[in-house]
Amino acid sequence: MQIKNGNLYTQGCFFEPHDLIVSGDRITRIAPSGFDSNEEEVLDAAGCYVLPGFVDVHIHGADGADFCDDTSDHISTISNYLGKKGVTSFLGTTMAFSEEILNHIIDDALPHFNQEEGGAVLRGINMEGPFFAKSKKGAQAERYIIDPDFEMFERLMERSKNNIRLCDIAPELPGAVEFISRAAKQCAVSIAHTTATYEETKEGFAAGANHVTHLFNAMPPFAHRDPGVVGAALEDADYVELISDGIHIHPAMVRTVFQIFGADRVCLISDAMRATGKPNGEYTLGGQKVSMTDGKATLADGTIAGSATDLVECFRRAVHFGVPIEMAAKAATINPAKSVGLEKEIGSCSEGKRADLLILAQDLSVKAVLIGGKRIV
C-alpha cells in the first residue's frame, strides 16, 4: 500500500509532505510526495495529517467494558473501540484490588498481549494500585489500598510473564523507596495517588521512579512555598501524564504543562473508563458506582472517577486549547511509547516500524486507521 499526498509526522516531529510505503505489517519506505511506487493499493491522504497510531498508557475501559472485568470479551471490546478511534496500542490499567483479583485480571489478559485482534493492540499492564495514600485515593477503593509489598508485585510480574510495564506508587509510604529501587529494574515506576512532599518525591525519583501519573490529580497542589510532587517532577521526572479532557485540568494549565515540561516529557493519556463512548448513566469503576453526565464521571461524593474521553479526543482538545499540534502529537505517540519501553516497534513513522497509522483530516476527524498494515477504518 502507498499512502500518498499526506503531511507525514516525521521523526523530527514536524509535518512534512511525504508518502509512505507499507508492506505487510511494516513501514518499508518513506518517499518524496508524489513518488510512483507502482503499488496496487493507494490511500490518498491529500490535505490530511499522517501520524503514528496513538499510544494510551493509562486507560481503564471504553464502550461499556473495563480491563478488570471478568468476561469473555471485555478486552476485545476495548480494543475494537480504541482502534476505530485511532488508538492503536494501549496498556490495560488496573485499580487497587487484592492480589487474588489482580491474578484473575492478569490471567484474562495473558492471551491478548501483543496479539493483533482487529483493534488496538494490548501491549501490557499499567498497575495503578494498590500502593497508594488513602487520603489521595481518588476513585480507588480504600479497602484494597495497602503499603508497598514488593513480593506481591514480583508474584504479579511473574504471573503476567513480565507484561507489567508501569507500576504506580506513593513514595512517602513505608518501604516505598526500597520498593521503587527494586521495581524500577523491571518496569517503569510512576508517582501516583500521593501526599508526598517535594523532598519525599525527590527520594522516589532518586530511587528509580521516572514517571508521574495524571499530573495534578490525586496529589498535593503546586505551590510557591511548597512545590510538592509537581515541583520535584519538573526537576527529575522523565515523563508526566496529562488528561487534557478539559475536566481534570483547566485548559490554561494544559498549555502551561507543555510550556514548562517541554515537548519531550508530556504523555497525553485518557484515563478513560467504561462510560467512554456510552450515553449518560450509571457505570462502575474499581467496583464503585460512577455517574457519567456529559463526559464527566464521578463517584457519589463528587470525586472525579477517570474520564469518559478517548485519547484522540484528548489530543483534539489539547490542540483546541492552544497546544501546538506537533507537540500534542508527540505527547500521544512517541513519548508514551518511550515511557514504557515500546519505542522500537511503535510511536513513530519510520522505516522498519509497525504500520500502525492514523490519518486525520484538517479538522482532526479520523479519515483512516491502519493497525499492522491493515486498514480498519
Side-chain angles (χ1 to χ4, degrees), residues 169-234:
I169 189 169
E172 73 278 15
L173 298 176
V177 172
E178 182 184 357
F179 179 104
I180 292 168
S181 68
R182 298 173 72 183
K185 295 178 175 66
Q186 300 186 50
C187 69
V189 178
S190 190
I191 305 298
H193 290 271
T194 175
T195 62
T197 63
Y198 167 82
E199 291 79 12
E200 288 168 331
T201 308
K202 293 275 286 186
E203 253 195 295
F205 286 128
N210 70 336
H211 192 110
V212 177
T213 298
H214 43 50
L215 191 71
F216 298 112
N217 297 115
M219 63 186 61
F222 181 36
H224 65 295
R225 291 194 182 93
D226 188 8
V229 174
V230 180
L234 271 168

Side-chain angles (χ1 to χ4, degrees), residues 56-60 91 93 126 128 166-168 189-193 210-217 219 233 237-244 249 257-258 261 265-271 331 336 339-340:
D56 196 345
V57 298
H58 189 151
I59 174 169
H60 297 278
L91 297 188
T93 303
N126 175 349
E128 191 186 14
L166 187 61
C167 178
D168 303 24
V189 178
S190 190
I191 305 298
H193 290 271
N210 70 336
H211 192 110
V212 177
T213 298
H214 43 50
L215 191 71
F216 298 112
N217 297 115
M219 63 186 61
D238 291 337
Y239 301 99
V240 295
E241 298 177 358
L242 192 67
I243 310 170
S244 57
I249 307 290
V257 167
F258 277 91
F261 279 88
R265 301 169 68 196
V266 182
C267 297
L268 289 179
I269 61 162
S270 69
D271 198 12
S339 78
V340 294

Side-chain angles (χ1 to χ4, degrees), residues 1-8 15 20 22 42-54 83-86 88 312 315-316 349 356-370 375 377:
M1 176 190 290
Q2 179 174 1
I3 301 171
K4 61 186 303 181
N5 302 323
N7 290 304
L8 178 69
F15 286 98
L20 278 181
V22 172
V42 174
L43 198 168
D44 190 354
C48 294
Y49 300 106
V50 180
L51 304 104
F54 284 7
K84 290 172 184 175
K85 295 294 181 178
T88 57
V312 180
F315 161 81
R316 292 189 193 99
C349 294
D356 293 347
L357 301 166
L358 170 61
I359 300 175
L360 298 176
Q362 284 293 311
D363 64 359
L364 303 185
S365 61
V366 174
K367 177 173 180 177
V369 179
L370 281 75
R375 185 172 179 179
V377 175

Side-chain angles (χ1 to χ4, degrees), residues 135-357:
S135 62
K136 290 292 183 181
K137 64 183 183 294
Q140 305 282 340
E142 185 171 334
R143 66 186 179 277
Y144 293 118
I145 292 175
I146 60 174
D147 286 340
D149 181 342
F150 184 76
E151 285 67 33
M152 172 182 168
F153 166 78
E154 205 163 36
R155 289 191 296 269
L156 292 168
M157 177 64 90
E158 183 178 0
R159 194 177 190 104
S160 77
K161 301 189 187 303
N162 297 316
N163 277 298
I164 297 174
R165 289 192 167 271
L166 187 61
C167 178
D168 303 24
I169 189 169
E172 73 278 15
L173 298 176
V177 172
E178 182 184 357
F179 179 104
I180 292 168
S181 68
R182 298 173 72 183
K185 295 178 175 66
Q186 300 186 50
C187 69
V189 178
S190 190
I191 305 298
H193 290 271
T194 175
T195 62
T197 63
Y198 167 82
E199 291 79 12
E200 288 168 331
T201 308
K202 293 275 286 186
E203 253 195 295
F205 286 128
N210 70 336
H211 192 110
V212 177
T213 298
H214 43 50
L215 191 71
F216 298 112
N217 297 115
M219 63 186 61
F222 181 36
H224 65 295
R225 291 194 182 93
D226 188 8
V229 174
V230 180
L234 271 168
E235 296 175 344
D236 294 338
D238 291 337
Y239 301 99
V240 295
E241 298 177 358
L242 192 67
I243 310 170
S244 57
D245 61 354
I247 295 170
H248 283 77
I249 307 290
H250 190 281
M253 287 306 297
V254 173
R255 293 192 296 272
T256 298
V257 167
F258 277 91
Q259 289 166 359
I260 63 177
F261 279 88
D264 296 334
R265 301 169 68 196
V266 182
C267 297
L268 289 179
I269 61 162
S270 69
D271 198 12
M273 46 84 70
R274 71 169 80 245
T276 304
K278 304 298 283 185
N280 291 343
E282 300 298 318
Y283 299 91
T284 61
L285 178 65
Q288 301 186 92
K289 291 183 179 179
V290 174
S291 176
M292 193 276 285
T293 304
D294 299 334
K296 185 175 183 178
T298 58
L299 301 179
D301 65 1
T303 300
I304 295 177
S307 87
T309 308
D310 66 78
L311 180 59
V312 180
E313 180 59 28
C314 285
F315 161 81
R316 292 189 193 99
R317 293 183 190 184
V319 174
H320 176 73
F321 297 156
V323 177
I325 188 171
E326 294 84 0
M327 293 180 75
K330 195 168 191 180
T333 58
I334 192 60
N335 289 357
K338 282 183 175 179
S339 78
V340 294
L342 292 168
E343 72 276 12
K344 291 182 180 179
E345 278 284 288
I346 60 173
S348 63
C349 294
S350 56
E351 293 175 1
K353 284 197 176 181
R354 276 180 56 88
D356 293 347
L357 301 166

